[in-house]
């Protein structure tokens, strides 16, 4: 990691990829997503921040019969000394071509305590729209739940618009690393446009409120992604 007033640089992910018998193994530093919609944990949006979500571990994805499996065993890779351990497994299947149902079990092991999580999610494709939702809960004594509901619509292969409503309590996600905002509720709005198969523009607007004191804020972000 390199950081000064004029420049920031980091190798976010590195490791080994291995495929065998329909299962994919990813070993090394990575940015995992846990649970449907990343409600429990999602480090994919924080690449470039050395203390936001990247982990060292193994992620195994594959299919056994009609059930898709996503397993993670990892340890946080923060700059400090208190790196928690994360274990999760998600199973999902398609009762119909349009419907996906999933369930996730996870554990976050810190130095002082362990927190267990469970989550359920579903998505349904109808025409050019996809409806999705997820609910999560932990065994913490309070502020231990979260949900997200939304819809995305793709009028063609290059464009997608979407909106999500969410509420995520402080202990309803792992290490404040939900896709959404820990300790807040509100709406996410977005537009994605693909210029080519490798280059895309993402517009994102959020309107949210803190659960603790009711303070509201909004934000807007535009990013361009390039895959190579």
């Amino acid at each position: 990691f390199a950081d000064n007033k004029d420049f920031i640089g980091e190798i976010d992910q590195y490791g080994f990829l291995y495929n065998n018998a329909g299962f994919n193994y990813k070993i090394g530093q990575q940015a995992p997503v846990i649970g449907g919609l990343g409600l429990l944990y999602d480090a994919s949006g924080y690449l470039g921040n050395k203390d936001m979500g990247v982990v060292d571990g193994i992620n195994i994805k594959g299919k056994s019969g009609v059930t898709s499996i996503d397993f993670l065993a990892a340890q946080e890779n923060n700059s400090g000394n208190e790196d928690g351990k994360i274990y999760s497994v998600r199973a999902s299947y398609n009762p119909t071509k349009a419907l996906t149902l999933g369930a996730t079990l996870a554990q976050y092991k810190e130095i002082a305590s362990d927190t267990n999580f469970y989550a359920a999610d579903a998505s349904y494709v109808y025409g050019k729209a996809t409806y999705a939702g997820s609910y999560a809960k932990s065994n913490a004594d309070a502020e231990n739940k979260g949900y997200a509901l939304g819809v995305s619509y793709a009028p063609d292969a290059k464009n997608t618009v979407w909106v999500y409503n969410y509420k995520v309590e402080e202990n309803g996600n792992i290490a404040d690393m939900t896709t959404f905002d820990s300790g807040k509720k509100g709406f996410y709005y977005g537009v994605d446009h693909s210029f080519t198969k490798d280059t895309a523009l993402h517009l994102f607007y959020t309107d949210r409120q803190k659960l603790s004191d009711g303070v509201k804020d909004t934000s807007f972000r535009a990013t361009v992604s390039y895959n190579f």
Side-chain angles (χ1 to χ4, degrees):
F1 183 89
D3 187 7
N4 59 43
K5 292 187 298 182
D6 302 315
F7 170 82
I8 183 171
E10 180 180 13
I11 299 176
D12 290 302
Q13 301 186 61
Y14 54 84
F16 300 95
L17 300 175
Y18 175 68
N19 301 319
N20 183 53
F23 280 82
N24 302 316
Y25 301 80
K26 186 176 184 180
I27 304 170
Q29 182 168 293
Q30 51 195 285
V33 177
I34 301 174
L37 302 177
L39 183 62
L40 285 177
Y41 192 99
D42 182 359
S44 63
Y46 296 95
L47 297 180
N49 188 325
K50 60 183 177 180
D51 288 324
M52 291 295 285
V54 293
V55 300
D56 296 316
I58 179 170
N59 182 213
I60 304 173
K61 294 182 179 181
K63 196 166 187 177
S64 177
V66 299
T67 305
S68 297
I69 305 295
D70 187 343
F71 170 80
L72 176 74
Q75 179 169 307
E76 293 173 310
N77 186 7
N78 298 325
S79 58
N81 295 322
E82 297 183 5
D83 291 335
K85 296 180 179 179
I86 303 171
Y87 304 96
S88 72
V89 59
R90 178 177 183 265
S92 63
Y93 81 108
N94 298 89
T96 69
K97 184 178 180 180
L99 178 64
T100 301
L101 301 176
T104 303
L105 296 176
Q107 184 180 65
Y108 182 47
K109 297 178 68 70
E110 300 178 271
I111 294 176
S113 64
D114 299 344
T115 306
N116 298 320
F117 299 83
Y118 70 84
D121 63 90
S123 64
Y124 182 74
V125 179
Y126 183 77
K128 297 181 179 181
T130 300
Y131 303 88
S134 184
Y135 174 83
K137 193 176 189 301
S138 77
N139 66 341
D141 293 333
E143 299 180 346
N144 57 8
K145 297 181 290 297
Y147 78 82
L149 296 168
V151 58
S152 62
Y153 180 78
D156 51 52
K158 288 183 174 292
N159 298 285
T160 303
V161 296
W162 48 267
V163 58
Y164 285 92
N165 172 250
Y166 72 93
K167 179 181 178 181
V168 184
E169 297 174 343
E170 291 284 355
N171 299 316
N173 68 110
I174 300 173
D176 294 330
M177 286 299 301
T178 176
T179 293
F180 304 93
D181 297 294
S182 182
K184 295 184 179 182
K185 65 179 181 179
F187 286 88
Y188 278 9
Y189 306 89
V191 177
D192 302 318
H193 173 73
S194 297
F195 296 104
T196 68
K197 66 177 182 178
D198 300 317
T199 307
L201 171 67
H202 310 279
L203 304 177
F204 171 64
Y205 177 81
T206 179
D207 183 357
R208 57 199 176 189
Q209 180 180 16
K210 290 181 66 175
L211 298 176
S212 60
D213 56 17
V215 173
K216 297 181 179 181
D217 72 278
T218 60
S219 67
F220 173 77
R221 181 170 72 235
T223 59
V224 175
S225 61
Y226 177 70
N227 298 316
F228 60 91

Tab-separated table of all heavy atoms in Angstrom, residues 22-24 59-72 88-96 99-105 121:
chain	number	residue	atom	x	y	z
A	22	GLY	N	-16.231	-28.925	-10.956
A	22	GLY	CA	-17.333	-27.992	-10.840
A	22	GLY	C	-17.230	-27.006	-9.694
A	22	GLY	O	-18.154	-26.208	-9.486
A	23	PHE	N	-16.136	-27.038	-8.945
A	23	PHE	CA	-15.934	-26.100	-7.845
A	23	PHE	C	-14.760	-25.185	-8.153
A	23	PHE	O	-13.739	-25.604	-8.695
A	23	PHE	CB	-15.684	-26.852	-6.535
A	23	PHE	CG	-16.942	-27.367	-5.885
A	23	PHE	CD1	-17.514	-28.554	-6.305
A	23	PHE	CD2	-17.559	-26.643	-4.879
A	23	PHE	CE1	-18.684	-29.031	-5.724
A	23	PHE	CE2	-18.724	-27.102	-4.285
A	23	PHE	CZ	-19.286	-28.304	-4.712
A	24	ASN	N	-14.922	-23.907	-7.767
A	24	ASN	CA	-13.891	-22.897	-7.966
A	24	ASN	C	-13.298	-22.512	-6.610
A	24	ASN	O	-14.032	-22.181	-5.678
A	24	ASN	CB	-14.482	-21.651	-8.640
A	24	ASN	CG	-15.127	-21.976	-9.968
A	24	ASN	OD1	-14.575	-22.726	-10.770
A	24	ASN	ND2	-16.299	-21.413	-10.230
A	59	ASN	N	-12.090	-18.964	-0.560
A	59	ASN	CA	-13.493	-18.907	-0.975
A	59	ASN	C	-13.727	-20.050	-1.954
A	59	ASN	O	-13.010	-20.179	-2.945
A	59	ASN	CB	-13.797	-17.557	-1.615
A	59	ASN	CG	-15.248	-17.402	-2.037
A	59	ASN	OD1	-15.541	-16.747	-3.021
A	59	ASN	ND2	-16.174	-17.991	-1.311
A	60	ILE	N	-14.725	-20.878	-1.665
A	60	ILE	CA	-15.045	-22.030	-2.507
A	60	ILE	C	-16.473	-21.872	-3.018
A	60	ILE	O	-17.403	-21.692	-2.231
A	60	ILE	CB	-14.917	-23.350	-1.728
A	60	ILE	CG1	-13.516	-23.488	-1.130
A	60	ILE	CG2	-15.219	-24.543	-2.637
A	60	ILE	CD1	-13.372	-24.683	-0.198
A	61	LYS	N	-16.629	-21.939	-4.330
A	61	LYS	CA	-17.951	-21.841	-4.942
A	61	LYS	C	-18.157	-23.010	-5.891
A	61	LYS	O	-17.225	-23.410	-6.607
A	61	LYS	CB	-18.107	-20.528	-5.718
A	61	LYS	CG	-18.078	-19.274	-4.864
A	61	LYS	CD	-18.281	-18.033	-5.714
A	61	LYS	CE	-18.284	-16.768	-4.876
A	61	LYS	NZ	-18.498	-15.547	-5.685
A	62	GLY	N	-19.374	-23.555	-5.873
A	62	GLY	CA	-19.672	-24.647	-6.776
A	62	GLY	C	-21.095	-25.113	-6.613
A	62	GLY	O	-21.896	-24.495	-5.905
A	63	LYS	N	-21.397	-26.226	-7.255
A	63	LYS	CA	-22.764	-26.745	-7.225
A	63	LYS	C	-22.742	-28.227	-6.907
A	63	LYS	O	-21.978	-28.998	-7.500
A	63	LYS	CB	-23.450	-26.489	-8.569
A	63	LYS	CG	-24.963	-26.635	-8.525
A	63	LYS	CD	-25.604	-26.052	-9.772
A	63	LYS	CE	-27.121	-26.029	-9.652
A	63	LYS	NZ	-27.757	-25.398	-10.832
A	64	SER	N	-23.583	-28.618	-5.956
A	64	SER	CA	-23.756	-30.017	-5.589
A	64	SER	C	-25.213	-30.388	-5.838
A	64	SER	O	-26.106	-29.938	-5.115
A	64	SER	CB	-23.396	-30.241	-4.118
A	64	SER	OG	-23.629	-31.577	-3.733
A	65	GLY	N	-25.444	-31.171	-6.875
A	65	GLY	CA	-26.816	-31.465	-7.258
A	65	GLY	C	-27.518	-30.215	-7.730
A	65	GLY	O	-27.060	-29.526	-8.643
A	66	VAL	N	-28.639	-29.864	-7.088
A	66	VAL	CA	-29.385	-28.664	-7.458
A	66	VAL	C	-29.020	-27.473	-6.578
A	66	VAL	O	-29.574	-26.386	-6.737
A	66	VAL	CB	-30.904	-28.919	-7.367
A	66	VAL	CG1	-31.316	-30.018	-8.329
A	66	VAL	CG2	-31.320	-29.271	-5.938
A	67	THR	N	-28.091	-27.660	-5.655
A	67	THR	CA	-27.762	-26.624	-4.677
A	67	THR	C	-26.422	-25.975	-4.978
A	67	THR	O	-25.410	-26.660	-5.121
A	67	THR	CB	-27.721	-27.217	-3.251
A	67	THR	OG1	-28.959	-27.865	-2.971
A	67	THR	CG2	-27.487	-26.118	-2.220
A	68	SER	N	-26.409	-24.644	-5.056
A	68	SER	CA	-25.174	-23.888	-5.218
A	68	SER	C	-24.613	-23.551	-3.837
A	68	SER	O	-25.361	-23.141	-2.944
A	68	SER	CB	-25.425	-22.605	-6.012
A	68	SER	OG	-25.859	-22.896	-7.316
A	69	ILE	N	-23.298	-23.732	-3.683
A	69	ILE	CA	-22.628	-23.529	-2.400
A	69	ILE	C	-21.600	-22.411	-2.529
A	69	ILE	O	-20.859	-22.336	-3.516
A	69	ILE	CB	-21.926	-24.815	-1.915
A	69	ILE	CG1	-22.921	-25.975	-1.847
A	69	ILE	CG2	-21.263	-24.585	-0.567
A	69	ILE	CD1	-24.008	-25.804	-0.829
A	70	ASP	N	-21.535	-21.540	-1.526
A	70	ASP	CA	-20.536	-20.466	-1.461
A	70	ASP	C	-19.973	-20.451	-0.046
A	70	ASP	O	-20.655	-20.065	0.902
A	70	ASP	CB	-21.173	-19.124	-1.819
A	70	ASP	CG	-20.159	-18.000	-1.937
A	70	ASP	OD1	-19.026	-18.139	-1.448
A	70	ASP	OD2	-20.511	-16.953	-2.519
A	71	PHE	N	-18.715	-20.895	0.118
A	71	PHE	CA	-18.085	-21.031	1.440
A	71	PHE	C	-16.897	-20.079	1.564
A	71	PHE	O	-16.116	-19.924	0.627
A	71	PHE	CB	-17.614	-22.469	1.652
A	71	PHE	CG	-16.752	-22.650	2.875
A	71	PHE	CD1	-17.320	-22.761	4.138
A	71	PHE	CD2	-15.368	-22.690	2.761
A	71	PHE	CE1	-16.524	-22.918	5.269
A	71	PHE	CE2	-14.567	-22.845	3.881
A	71	PHE	CZ	-15.146	-22.954	5.139
A	72	LEU	N	-16.769	-19.449	2.734
A	72	LEU	CA	-15.645	-18.542	2.997
A	72	LEU	C	-15.069	-18.811	4.369
A	72	LEU	O	-15.805	-18.943	5.349
A	72	LEU	CB	-16.103	-17.082	2.925
A	72	LEU	CG	-15.037	-16.033	3.286
A	72	LEU	CD1	-14.014	-15.894	2.161
A	72	LEU	CD2	-15.674	-14.682	3.589
A	88	SER	N	-18.351	-18.276	6.700
A	88	SER	CA	-19.718	-18.212	6.172
A	88	SER	C	-19.957	-19.310	5.156
A	88	SER	O	-19.019	-19.787	4.493
A	88	SER	CB	-19.985	-16.841	5.528
A	88	SER	OG	-19.290	-16.717	4.305
A	89	VAL	N	-21.210	-19.708	5.043
A	89	VAL	CA	-21.621	-20.624	3.986
A	89	VAL	C	-23.024	-20.214	3.524
A	89	VAL	O	-23.902	-19.942	4.344
A	89	VAL	CB	-21.600	-22.091	4.449
A	89	VAL	CG1	-22.525	-22.327	5.637
A	89	VAL	CG2	-21.947	-23.028	3.292
A	90	ARG	N	-23.188	-20.117	2.224
A	90	ARG	CA	-24.488	-19.790	1.629
A	90	ARG	C	-24.891	-20.919	0.699
A	90	ARG	O	-24.069	-21.384	-0.116
A	90	ARG	CB	-24.444	-18.477	0.854
A	90	ARG	CG	-25.780	-18.131	0.170
A	90	ARG	CD	-25.721	-16.777	-0.522
A	90	ARG	NE	-27.001	-16.402	-1.121
A	90	ARG	CZ	-27.325	-16.614	-2.394
A	90	ARG	NH1	-26.444	-17.174	-3.217
A	90	ARG	NH2	-28.508	-16.260	-2.861
A	91	ALA	N	-26.126	-21.356	0.815
A	91	ALA	CA	-26.682	-22.356	-0.079
A	91	ALA	C	-27.879	-21.755	-0.796
A	91	ALA	O	-28.699	-21.069	-0.181
A	91	ALA	CB	-27.108	-23.606	0.695
A	92	SER	N	-27.985	-22.000	-2.082
A	92	SER	CA	-29.103	-21.466	-2.851
A	92	SER	C	-29.520	-22.471	-3.918
A	92	SER	O	-28.724	-23.322	-4.331
A	92	SER	CB	-28.728	-20.138	-3.504
A	92	SER	OG	-27.673	-20.312	-4.431
A	93	TYR	N	-30.769	-22.372	-4.340
A	93	TYR	CA	-31.233	-23.224	-5.426
A	93	TYR	C	-32.379	-22.533	-6.163
A	93	TYR	O	-32.927	-21.537	-5.688
A	93	TYR	CB	-31.663	-24.592	-4.896
A	93	TYR	CG	-33.048	-24.638	-4.291
A	93	TYR	CD1	-34.097	-25.268	-4.955
A	93	TYR	CD2	-33.310	-24.064	-3.047
A	93	TYR	CE1	-35.369	-25.318	-4.401
A	93	TYR	CE2	-34.567	-24.111	-2.483
A	93	TYR	CZ	-35.596	-24.740	-3.172
A	93	TYR	OH	-36.847	-24.777	-2.613
A	94	ASN	N	-32.728	-23.076	-7.314
A	94	ASN	CA	-33.761	-22.500	-8.178
A	94	ASN	C	-34.940	-23.456	-8.277
A	94	ASN	O	-34.901	-24.407	-9.061
A	94	ASN	CB	-33.200	-22.221	-9.569
A	94	ASN	CG	-32.083	-21.211	-9.566
A	94	ASN	OD1	-30.910	-21.571	-9.420
A	94	ASN	ND2	-32.432	-19.952	-9.719
A	95	PRO	N	-36.007	-23.228	-7.515
A	95	PRO	CA	-37.201	-24.063	-7.660
A	95	PRO	C	-37.860	-23.901	-9.021
A	95	PRO	O	-38.527	-24.803	-9.514
A	95	PRO	CB	-38.110	-23.589	-6.530
A	95	PRO	CG	-37.602	-22.245	-6.147
A	95	PRO	CD	-36.148	-22.249	-6.431
A	96	THR	N	-37.684	-22.718	-9.623
A	96	THR	CA	-38.087	-22.483	-11.009
A	96	THR	C	-36.967	-21.720	-11.693
A	96	THR	O	-36.043	-21.223	-11.035
A	96	THR	CB	-39.393	-21.671	-11.111
A	96	THR	OG1	-39.138	-20.322	-10.667
A	96	THR	CG2	-40.493	-22.287	-10.264
A	99	LEU	N	-36.941	-18.095	-10.257
A	99	LEU	CA	-36.881	-17.873	-8.805
A	99	LEU	C	-35.623	-18.488	-8.205
A	99	LEU	O	-35.305	-19.646	-8.475
A	99	LEU	CB	-38.117	-18.480	-8.144
A	99	LEU	CG	-38.196	-18.386	-6.610
A	99	LEU	CD1	-38.278	-16.935	-6.158
A	99	LEU	CD2	-39.397	-19.186	-6.102
A	100	THR	N	-34.923	-17.700	-7.375
A	100	THR	CA	-33.761	-18.178	-6.621
A	100	THR	C	-34.001	-17.952	-5.141
A	100	THR	O	-34.373	-16.846	-4.726
A	100	THR	CB	-32.481	-17.441	-7.045
A	100	THR	OG1	-32.247	-17.632	-8.441
A	100	THR	CG2	-31.276	-17.968	-6.266
A	101	LEU	N	-33.783	-18.985	-4.336
A	101	LEU	CA	-33.897	-18.899	-2.884
A	101	LEU	C	-32.552	-19.227	-2.257
A	101	LEU	O	-31.862	-20.158	-2.697
A	101	LEU	CB	-34.956	-19.872	-2.372
A	101	LEU	CG	-36.375	-19.706	-2.918
A	101	LEU	CD1	-37.276	-20.807	-2.380
A	101	LEU	CD2	-36.933	-18.337	-2.552
A	102	GLY	N	-32.173	-18.460	-1.228
A	102	GLY	CA	-30.879	-18.687	-0.594
A	102	GLY	C	-30.930	-18.511	0.909
A	102	GLY	O	-31.811	-17.830	1.444
A	103	ALA	N	-29.980	-19.144	1.597
A	103	ALA	CA	-29.845	-19.011	3.047
A	103	ALA	C	-28.360	-18.976	3.396
A	103	ALA	O	-27.552	-19.682	2.773
A	103	ALA	CB	-30.531	-20.159	3.770
A	104	THR	N	-28.007	-18.165	4.386
A	104	THR	CA	-26.607	-17.972	4.769
A	104	THR	C	-26.444	-18.110	6.276
A	104	THR	O	-27.246	-17.573	7.044
A	104	THR	CB	-26.107	-16.577	4.344
A	104	THR	OG1	-26.283	-16.421	2.935
A	104	THR	CG2	-24.637	-16.401	4.690
A	105	LEU	N	-25.393	-18.811	6.686
A	105	LEU	CA	-24.949	-18.855	8.073
A	105	LEU	C	-23.545	-18.279	8.128
A	105	LEU	O	-22.707	-18.577	7.258
A	105	LEU	CB	-24.948	-20.286	8.608
A	105	LEU	CG	-26.295	-21.003	8.690
A	105	LEU	CD1	-26.089	-22.450	9.141
A	105	LEU	CD2	-27.230	-20.276	9.641
A	121	ASP	N	-32.549	-14.954	1.554
A	121	ASP	CA	-32.695	-14.052	0.416
A	121	ASP	C	-33.469	-14.735	-0.696
A	121	ASP	O	-33.560	-15.967	-0.760
A	121	ASP	CB	-31.325	-13.598	-0.092
A	121	ASP	CG	-30.484	-14.753	-0.614
A	121	ASP	OD1	-30.573	-15.060	-1.811
A	121	ASP	OD2	-29.740	-15.349	0.180
